[in-house]
């Protein structure tokens, strides 16, 4: 396939090409579900069966990537499994990794000393993530994360805080992008693209319980 990038309301062809099976499995899914998906996918596209197969993921993939690889080996399915890779794995170290976020953003001057103090003493990031995941964000933690978010602002790329900001003016942004090789608005553009109805139809994606798809929703 040829990936595309979204600029404002238009698509542009990406000069890089590749082939990938991508999926984002919620935590409730089991390795068996993933295996069924792969078996059906390879049955539909048998021309890929003899290619080297890698399982690559990030974050919670620290759990489901090795589980899936183990099941593939056990099941003796006809996938040419060559290895696995996990980036920023979410395993038993999740609490320490999440809570280092407070130090990171404060040390880059993105939050005040006062906000850093409440982010490390009143309600830390692992607590906030856990509460959001369980659907019971407390008023205290809600106030903390709102204060942190307001100081960082939505224009800072949380994956690379040293990048130029994603400007709110389309005209101003186009001026910057003409000089950059990195699209600093890629998350906003991806969100816009994946909320197009024709894209969701093509991907057989359904919004259940929400009106708009957002990153990590």
């Amino acid at each position: 396939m040829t990936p595309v990038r979204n600029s404002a309301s238009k698509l542009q062809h990406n000069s890089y090409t590749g082939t990938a099976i991508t999926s984002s499995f919620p935590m409730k899914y089991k390795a068996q579900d993933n295996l069924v998906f792969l078996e059906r996918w390879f049955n539909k596209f048998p021309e890929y069966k003899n290619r080297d197969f890698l399982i690559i993921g990030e974050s919670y993939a620290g759990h489901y990537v090795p589980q899936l690889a183990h099941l593939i080996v056990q099941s003796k399915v006809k996938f040419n499994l060559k290895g696995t890779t996990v980036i920023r794995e979410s395993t038993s170290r999740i609490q320490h990794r999440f809570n280092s976020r407070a130090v990171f953003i404060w040390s880059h001057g993105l939050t005040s000393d006062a906000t850093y103090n409440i982010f490390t003493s009143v309600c830390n990031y692992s607590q906030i993530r856990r509460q959001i995941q369980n659907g019971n964000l407390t008023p205290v933690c809600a106030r903390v994360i709102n204060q942190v978010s307001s100081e960082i602002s939505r224009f800072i790329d949380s994956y690379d805080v040293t990048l130029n900001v994603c400007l709110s003016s389309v005209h101003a942004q186009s001026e910057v992008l003409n000089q950059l090789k990195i699209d600093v608005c890629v998350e906003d553009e991806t969100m816009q693209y994946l909320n197009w109805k024709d894209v969701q139809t093509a991907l057989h994606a359904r919004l259940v319980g929400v009106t708009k798809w957002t990153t990590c929703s």
Side-chain angles (χ1 to χ4, degrees):
M1 63 181 177
T2 301
V4 292
R5 59 175 291 269
N6 173 9
S7 179
S9 60
K10 297 180 181 180
L11 291 178
Q12 298 177 351
H13 279 280
N14 194 326
S15 58
Y16 301 97
T17 59
T19 300
I21 309 171
T22 61
S23 58
S24 183
F25 293 102
M27 296 183 184
K28 65 181 180 179
Y29 277 59
K30 299 178 180 179
Q32 184 63 48
D33 299 313
N34 299 0
L35 182 63
V36 170
F37 163 78
L38 287 173
E39 287 178 320
R40 292 178 179 177
W41 194 91
F42 278 114
N43 285 337
K44 187 174 179 65
F45 304 101
E47 64 270 25
Y48 294 102
K49 274 193 174 181
N50 294 324
R51 294 193 179 191
D52 291 348
F53 182 68
L54 300 171
I55 308 175
I56 302 173
E58 60 97 33
S59 189
Y60 197 73
H63 289 279
Y64 72 73
V65 162
Q67 292 169 3
L68 176 58
H70 181 66
L71 188 59
I72 289 175
V73 173
Q74 278 189 323
S75 303
K76 298 180 180 178
V77 291
K78 298 187 183 303
F79 305 156
N80 194 16
L81 181 62
K82 287 294 185 180
T84 64
T85 299
V86 179
I87 306 164
R88 296 194 311 117
E89 74 276 12
S90 173
T91 55
S92 59
R93 297 193 297 274
I94 190 170
Q95 182 170 339
H96 301 290
R97 180 169 64 82
F98 276 165
N99 290 339
S100 66
R101 178 178 176 84
V103 178
F104 177 78
I105 59 178
W106 170 77
S107 66
H108 283 76
L110 298 177
T111 54
S112 65
D113 292 349
T115 298
Y116 169 75
N117 288 333
I118 65 171
F119 203 20
T120 53
S121 60
V122 176
C123 187
N124 60 42
Y125 195 50
S126 62
Q127 288 176 287
I128 292 169
R129 287 293 296 263
R130 187 164 56 249
Q131 290 179 12
I132 291 176
Q133 182 181 331
N134 295 330
N136 60 352
L137 183 62
T138 63
V140 172
C141 287
R143 284 195 294 272
V144 171
I145 193 60
N146 286 339
Q147 183 167 331
V148 172
S149 300
S150 66
E151 290 188 10
I152 297 174
S153 91
R154 65 178 293 274
F155 300 114
I156 297 294
D157 187 335
S158 60
Y159 292 101
D160 189 349
V161 299
T162 64
L163 285 178
N164 286 323
V165 298
C166 176
L167 304 176
S168 55
S169 164
V170 174
H171 175 71
Q173 188 62 52
S174 65
E175 293 288 328
V176 174
L177 290 179
N178 285 335
Q179 306 169 36
L180 289 177
K181 293 182 179 179
I182 301 174
D183 185 354
V184 295
C185 290
V186 66
E187 186 166 323
D188 288 347
E189 293 168 349
T190 301
M191 209 154 52
Q192 181 183 10
Y193 174 66
L194 292 178
N195 275 294
W196 290 355
K197 296 303 180 185
D198 57 334
V199 172
Q200 292 174 358
T201 300
L203 294 174
H204 306 286
R206 293 181 298 125
L207 297 181
V208 179
V210 294
T211 57
K212 182 180 180 181
W213 179 88
T214 56
T215 306
C216 295
S217 60

PDB file of all heavy atoms in Angstrom, residues 5-29:
ATOM      1  N   ARG A   5      -0.684  11.177   3.629  1.00  0.00           N
ATOM      2  CA  ARG A   5      -0.775  12.090   4.748  1.00  0.00           C
ATOM      3  C   ARG A   5      -1.833  13.136   4.438  1.00  0.00           C
ATOM      4  O   ARG A   5      -2.068  13.509   3.303  1.00  0.00           O
ATOM      5  CB  ARG A   5       0.564  12.739   5.086  1.00  0.00           C
ATOM      6  CG  ARG A   5       1.195  13.529   3.970  1.00  0.00           C
ATOM      7  CD  ARG A   5       2.447  14.218   4.483  1.00  0.00           C
ATOM      8  NE  ARG A   5       2.117  15.276   5.414  1.00  0.00           N
ATOM      9  CZ  ARG A   5       1.910  16.535   5.034  1.00  0.00           C
ATOM     10  NH1 ARG A   5       1.996  16.859   3.766  1.00  0.00           N
ATOM     11  NH2 ARG A   5       1.617  17.461   5.918  1.00  0.00           N
ATOM     12  N   ASN A   6      -2.457  13.601   5.488  1.00  0.00           N
ATOM     13  CA  ASN A   6      -3.583  14.510   5.373  1.00  0.00           C
ATOM     14  C   ASN A   6      -3.116  15.929   5.645  1.00  0.00           C
ATOM     15  O   ASN A   6      -2.564  16.216   6.679  1.00  0.00           O
ATOM     16  CB  ASN A   6      -4.634  14.071   6.407  1.00  0.00           C
ATOM     17  CG  ASN A   6      -5.782  15.035   6.505  1.00  0.00           C
ATOM     18  OD1 ASN A   6      -5.898  15.941   5.713  1.00  0.00           O
ATOM     19  ND2 ASN A   6      -6.620  14.835   7.501  1.00  0.00           N
ATOM     20  N   SER A   7      -3.284  16.825   4.695  1.00  0.00           N
ATOM     21  CA  SER A   7      -2.952  18.231   4.899  1.00  0.00           C
ATOM     22  C   SER A   7      -4.236  19.026   4.808  1.00  0.00           C
ATOM     23  O   SER A   7      -4.851  19.085   3.747  1.00  0.00           O
ATOM     24  CB  SER A   7      -1.948  18.696   3.852  1.00  0.00           C
ATOM     25  OG  SER A   7      -1.652  20.056   4.026  1.00  0.00           O
ATOM     26  N   ALA A   8      -4.636  19.617   5.937  1.00  0.00           N
ATOM     27  CA  ALA A   8      -5.927  20.296   6.024  1.00  0.00           C
ATOM     28  C   ALA A   8      -7.029  19.312   5.656  1.00  0.00           C
ATOM     29  O   ALA A   8      -7.188  18.307   6.293  1.00  0.00           O
ATOM     30  CB  ALA A   8      -5.943  21.534   5.142  1.00  0.00           C
ATOM     31  N   SER A   9      -7.769  19.568   4.567  1.00  0.00           N
ATOM     32  CA  SER A   9      -8.869  18.663   4.211  1.00  0.00           C
ATOM     33  C   SER A   9      -8.542  17.817   2.999  1.00  0.00           C
ATOM     34  O   SER A   9      -9.411  17.184   2.421  1.00  0.00           O
ATOM     35  CB  SER A   9     -10.135  19.482   3.943  1.00  0.00           C
ATOM     36  OG  SER A   9      -9.898  20.383   2.879  1.00  0.00           O
ATOM     37  N   LYS A  10      -7.267  17.801   2.574  1.00  0.00           N
ATOM     38  CA  LYS A  10      -6.883  17.049   1.387  1.00  0.00           C
ATOM     39  C   LYS A  10      -5.863  15.976   1.739  1.00  0.00           C
ATOM     40  O   LYS A  10      -5.164  16.067   2.730  1.00  0.00           O
ATOM     41  CB  LYS A  10      -6.292  17.997   0.333  1.00  0.00           C
ATOM     42  CG  LYS A  10      -7.279  19.043  -0.180  1.00  0.00           C
ATOM     43  CD  LYS A  10      -6.622  19.938  -1.226  1.00  0.00           C
ATOM     44  CE  LYS A  10      -7.590  20.992  -1.732  1.00  0.00           C
ATOM     45  NZ  LYS A  10      -6.958  21.874  -2.741  1.00  0.00           N
ATOM     46  N   LEU A  11      -5.785  14.945   0.890  1.00  0.00           N
ATOM     47  CA  LEU A  11      -4.799  13.889   1.062  1.00  0.00           C
ATOM     48  C   LEU A  11      -3.646  14.104   0.100  1.00  0.00           C
ATOM     49  O   LEU A  11      -3.843  14.532  -1.028  1.00  0.00           O
ATOM     50  CB  LEU A  11      -5.420  12.510   0.806  1.00  0.00           C
ATOM     51  CG  LEU A  11      -6.431  12.027   1.826  1.00  0.00           C
ATOM     52  CD1 LEU A  11      -6.988  10.680   1.393  1.00  0.00           C
ATOM     53  CD2 LEU A  11      -5.807  11.911   3.201  1.00  0.00           C
ATOM     54  N   GLN A  12      -2.456  13.786   0.558  1.00  0.00           N
ATOM     55  CA  GLN A  12      -1.285  13.843  -0.300  1.00  0.00           C
ATOM     56  C   GLN A  12      -0.573  12.508  -0.239  1.00  0.00           C
ATOM     57  O   GLN A  12      -0.465  11.908   0.823  1.00  0.00           O
ATOM     58  CB  GLN A  12      -0.327  14.945   0.181  1.00  0.00           C
ATOM     59  CG  GLN A  12      -0.925  16.343   0.130  1.00  0.00           C
ATOM     60  CD  GLN A  12       0.040  17.375   0.687  1.00  0.00           C
ATOM     61  OE1 GLN A  12       1.061  17.029   1.247  1.00  0.00           O
ATOM     62  NE2 GLN A  12      -0.304  18.637   0.533  1.00  0.00           N
ATOM     63  N   HIS A  13      -0.086  12.029  -1.376  1.00  0.00           N
ATOM     64  CA  HIS A  13       0.634  10.764  -1.391  1.00  0.00           C
ATOM     65  C   HIS A  13       1.962  10.895  -0.667  1.00  0.00           C
ATOM     66  O   HIS A  13       2.674  11.884  -0.818  1.00  0.00           O
ATOM     67  CB  HIS A  13       0.878  10.299  -2.832  1.00  0.00           C
ATOM     68  CG  HIS A  13      -0.313   9.636  -3.440  1.00  0.00           C
ATOM     69  ND1 HIS A  13      -0.649   8.332  -3.179  1.00  0.00           N
ATOM     70  CD2 HIS A  13      -1.261  10.115  -4.277  1.00  0.00           C
ATOM     71  CE1 HIS A  13      -1.752   8.026  -3.850  1.00  0.00           C
ATOM     72  NE2 HIS A  13      -2.147   9.102  -4.517  1.00  0.00           N
ATOM     73  N   ASN A  14       2.264   9.885   0.124  1.00  0.00           N
ATOM     74  CA  ASN A  14       3.547   9.828   0.814  1.00  0.00           C
ATOM     75  C   ASN A  14       4.560   9.197  -0.134  1.00  0.00           C
ATOM     76  O   ASN A  14       4.247   8.253  -0.854  1.00  0.00           O
ATOM     77  CB  ASN A  14       3.405   8.971   2.088  1.00  0.00           C
ATOM     78  CG  ASN A  14       4.577   9.137   3.026  1.00  0.00           C
ATOM     79  OD1 ASN A  14       5.706   9.320   2.593  1.00  0.00           O
ATOM     80  ND2 ASN A  14       4.299   9.061   4.311  1.00  0.00           N
ATOM     81  N   SER A  15       5.787   9.701  -0.111  1.00  0.00           N
ATOM     82  CA  SER A  15       6.811   9.157  -1.010  1.00  0.00           C
ATOM     83  C   SER A  15       7.346   7.821  -0.533  1.00  0.00           C
ATOM     84  O   SER A  15       8.060   7.133  -1.252  1.00  0.00           O
ATOM     85  CB  SER A  15       7.969  10.152  -1.138  1.00  0.00           C
ATOM     86  OG  SER A  15       8.523  10.434   0.127  1.00  0.00           O
ATOM     87  N   TYR A  16       6.999   7.436   0.714  1.00  0.00           N
ATOM     88  CA  TYR A  16       7.460   6.156   1.247  1.00  0.00           C
ATOM     89  C   TYR A  16       6.354   5.121   1.097  1.00  0.00           C
ATOM     90  O   TYR A  16       5.182   5.414   1.266  1.00  0.00           O
ATOM     91  CB  TYR A  16       7.832   6.294   2.723  1.00  0.00           C
ATOM     92  CG  TYR A  16       8.907   7.311   2.958  1.00  0.00           C
ATOM     93  CD1 TYR A  16       8.577   8.617   3.349  1.00  0.00           C
ATOM     94  CD2 TYR A  16      10.245   6.989   2.774  1.00  0.00           C
ATOM     95  CE1 TYR A  16       9.556   9.568   3.557  1.00  0.00           C
ATOM     96  CE2 TYR A  16      11.236   7.927   2.981  1.00  0.00           C
ATOM     97  CZ  TYR A  16      10.896   9.209   3.368  1.00  0.00           C
ATOM     98  OH  TYR A  16      11.864  10.144   3.580  1.00  0.00           O
ATOM     99  N   THR A  17       6.739   3.891   0.781  1.00  0.00           N
ATOM    100  CA  THR A  17       5.752   2.834   0.623  1.00  0.00           C
ATOM    101  C   THR A  17       6.136   1.647   1.481  1.00  0.00           C
ATOM    102  O   THR A  17       7.284   1.469   1.857  1.00  0.00           O
ATOM    103  CB  THR A  17       5.650   2.356  -0.836  1.00  0.00           C
ATOM    104  OG1 THR A  17       6.935   1.869  -1.239  1.00  0.00           O
ATOM    105  CG2 THR A  17       5.225   3.495  -1.749  1.00  0.00           C
ATOM    106  N   GLY A  18       5.162   0.809   1.755  1.00  0.00           N
ATOM    107  CA  GLY A  18       5.435  -0.371   2.563  1.00  0.00           C
ATOM    108  C   GLY A  18       4.204  -1.235   2.645  1.00  0.00           C
ATOM    109  O   GLY A  18       3.140  -0.876   2.153  1.00  0.00           O
ATOM    110  N   THR A  19       4.337  -2.384   3.244  1.00  0.00           N
ATOM    111  CA  THR A  19       3.211  -3.287   3.444  1.00  0.00           C
ATOM    112  C   THR A  19       3.158  -3.655   4.908  1.00  0.00           C
ATOM    113  O   THR A  19       4.159  -4.063   5.481  1.00  0.00           O
ATOM    114  CB  THR A  19       3.367  -4.565   2.611  1.00  0.00           C
ATOM    115  OG1 THR A  19       3.435  -4.187   1.242  1.00  0.00           O
ATOM    116  CG2 THR A  19       2.176  -5.492   2.823  1.00  0.00           C
ATOM    117  N   ALA A  20       1.997  -3.498   5.500  1.00  0.00           N
ATOM    118  CA  ALA A  20       1.881  -3.818   6.921  1.00  0.00           C
ATOM    119  C   ALA A  20       0.463  -4.230   7.240  1.00  0.00           C
ATOM    120  O   ALA A  20      -0.483  -3.792   6.605  1.00  0.00           O
ATOM    121  CB  ALA A  20       2.265  -2.603   7.765  1.00  0.00           C
ATOM    122  N   ILE A  21       0.330  -5.138   8.206  1.00  0.00           N
ATOM    123  CA  ILE A  21      -0.971  -5.442   8.782  1.00  0.00           C
ATOM    124  C   ILE A  21      -0.987  -4.689  10.098  1.00  0.00           C
ATOM    125  O   ILE A  21      -0.147  -4.927  10.950  1.00  0.00           O
ATOM    126  CB  ILE A  21      -1.139  -6.939   9.078  1.00  0.00           C
ATOM    127  CG1 ILE A  21      -0.796  -7.774   7.854  1.00  0.00           C
ATOM    128  CG2 ILE A  21      -2.535  -7.243   9.560  1.00  0.00           C
ATOM    129  CD1 ILE A  21      -0.734  -9.251   8.138  1.00  0.00           C
ATOM    130  N   THR A  22      -1.910  -3.756  10.259  1.00  0.00           N
ATOM    131  CA  THR A  22      -1.941  -3.003  11.501  1.00  0.00           C
ATOM    132  C   THR A  22      -3.264  -3.228  12.193  1.00  0.00           C
ATOM    133  O   THR A  22      -4.307  -3.317  11.574  1.00  0.00           O
ATOM    134  CB  THR A  22      -1.779  -1.495  11.238  1.00  0.00           C
ATOM    135  OG1 THR A  22      -2.857  -1.053  10.409  1.00  0.00           O
ATOM    136  CG2 THR A  22      -0.457  -1.201  10.550  1.00  0.00           C
ATOM    137  N   SER A  23      -3.201  -3.340  13.498  1.00  0.00           N
ATOM    138  CA  SER A  23      -4.421  -3.482  14.284  1.00  0.00           C
ATOM    139  C   SER A  23      -4.154  -2.961  15.675  1.00  0.00           C
ATOM    140  O   SER A  23      -3.028  -2.971  16.146  1.00  0.00           O
ATOM    141  CB  SER A  23      -4.870  -4.938  14.357  1.00  0.00           C
ATOM    142  OG  SER A  23      -3.851  -5.733  14.920  1.00  0.00           O
ATOM    143  N   SER A  24      -5.194  -2.473  16.325  1.00  0.00           N
ATOM    144  CA  SER A  24      -5.056  -1.964  17.679  1.00  0.00           C
ATOM    145  C   SER A  24      -6.047  -2.712  18.552  1.00  0.00           C
ATOM    146  O   SER A  24      -7.236  -2.448  18.537  1.00  0.00           O
ATOM    147  CB  SER A  24      -5.350  -0.466  17.705  1.00  0.00           C
ATOM    148  OG  SER A  24      -5.157   0.059  18.984  1.00  0.00           O
ATOM    149  N   PHE A  25      -5.548  -3.683  19.300  1.00  0.00           N
ATOM    150  CA  PHE A  25      -6.414  -4.535  20.090  1.00  0.00           C
ATOM    151  C   PHE A  25      -6.605  -3.963  21.484  1.00  0.00           C
ATOM    152  O   PHE A  25      -5.634  -3.708  22.180  1.00  0.00           O
ATOM    153  CB  PHE A  25      -5.818  -5.939  20.218  1.00  0.00           C
ATOM    154  CG  PHE A  25      -5.763  -6.686  18.916  1.00  0.00           C
ATOM    155  CD1 PHE A  25      -4.579  -6.800  18.215  1.00  0.00           C
ATOM    156  CD2 PHE A  25      -6.900  -7.259  18.398  1.00  0.00           C
ATOM    157  CE1 PHE A  25      -4.532  -7.479  17.012  1.00  0.00           C
ATOM    158  CE2 PHE A  25      -6.866  -7.951  17.201  1.00  0.00           C
ATOM    159  CZ  PHE A  25      -5.677  -8.058  16.505  1.00  0.00           C
ATOM    160  N   PRO A  26      -7.852  -3.772  21.938  1.00  0.00           N
ATOM    161  CA  PRO A  26      -8.074  -3.331  23.310  1.00  0.00           C
ATOM    162  C   PRO A  26      -7.551  -4.379  24.283  1.00  0.00           C
ATOM    163  O   PRO A  26      -7.333  -5.530  23.928  1.00  0.00           O
ATOM    164  CB  PRO A  26      -9.607  -3.228  23.401  1.00  0.00           C
ATOM    165  CG  PRO A  26     -10.076  -3.125  21.998  1.00  0.00           C
ATOM    166  CD  PRO A  26      -9.094  -3.913  21.185  1.00  0.00           C
ATOM    167  N   MET A  27      -7.386  -3.997  25.550  1.00  0.00           N
ATOM    168  CA  MET A  27      -6.813  -4.892  26.537  1.00  0.00           C
ATOM    169  C   MET A  27      -7.662  -6.149  26.761  1.00  0.00           C
ATOM    170  O   MET A  27      -7.140  -7.187  27.126  1.00  0.00           O
ATOM    171  CB  MET A  27      -6.630  -4.143  27.857  1.00  0.00           C
ATOM    172  CG  MET A  27      -5.639  -3.008  27.775  1.00  0.00           C
ATOM    173  SD  MET A  27      -5.394  -2.209  29.358  1.00  0.00           S
ATOM    174  CE  MET A  27      -4.300  -0.862  28.887  1.00  0.00           C
ATOM    175  N   LYS A  28      -8.965  -6.070  26.536  1.00  0.00           N
ATOM    176  CA  LYS A  28      -9.832  -7.205  26.812  1.00  0.00           C
ATOM    177  C   LYS A  28      -9.652  -8.327  25.791  1.00  0.00           C
ATOM    178  O   LYS A  28     -10.054  -9.454  26.018  1.00  0.00           O
ATOM    179  CB  LYS A  28     -11.294  -6.760  26.844  1.00  0.00           C
ATOM    180  CG  LYS A  28     -11.818  -6.249  25.496  1.00  0.00           C
ATOM    181  CD  LYS A  28     -13.263  -5.809  25.613  1.00  0.00           C
ATOM    182  CE  LYS A  28     -13.787  -5.302  24.279  1.00  0.00           C
ATOM    183  NZ  LYS A  28     -15.187  -4.877  24.345  1.00  0.00           N
ATOM    184  N   TYR A  29      -9.036  -8.014  24.652  1.00  0.00           N
ATOM    185  CA  TYR A  29      -8.844  -9.030  23.636  1.00  0.00           C
ATOM    186  C   TYR A  29      -7.766 -10.004  24.075  1.00  0.00           C
ATOM    187  O   TYR A  29      -6.781  -9.620  24.693  1.00  0.00           O
ATOM    188  CB  TYR A  29      -8.464  -8.393  22.292  1.00  0.00           C
ATOM    189  CG  TYR A  29      -9.649  -7.916  21.503  1.00  0.00           C
ATOM    190  CD1 TYR A  29     -10.518  -6.968  22.016  1.00  0.00           C
ATOM    191  CD2 TYR A  29      -9.915  -8.425  20.249  1.00  0.00           C
ATOM    192  CE1 TYR A  29     -11.610  -6.529  21.298  1.00  0.00           C
ATOM    193  CE2 TYR A  29     -10.995  -7.987  19.507  1.00  0.00           C
ATOM    194  CZ  TYR A  29     -11.839  -7.038  20.035  1.00  0.00           C
ATOM    195  OH  TYR A  29     -12.915  -6.609  19.327  1.00  0.00           O
TER     196      TYR A  29
END
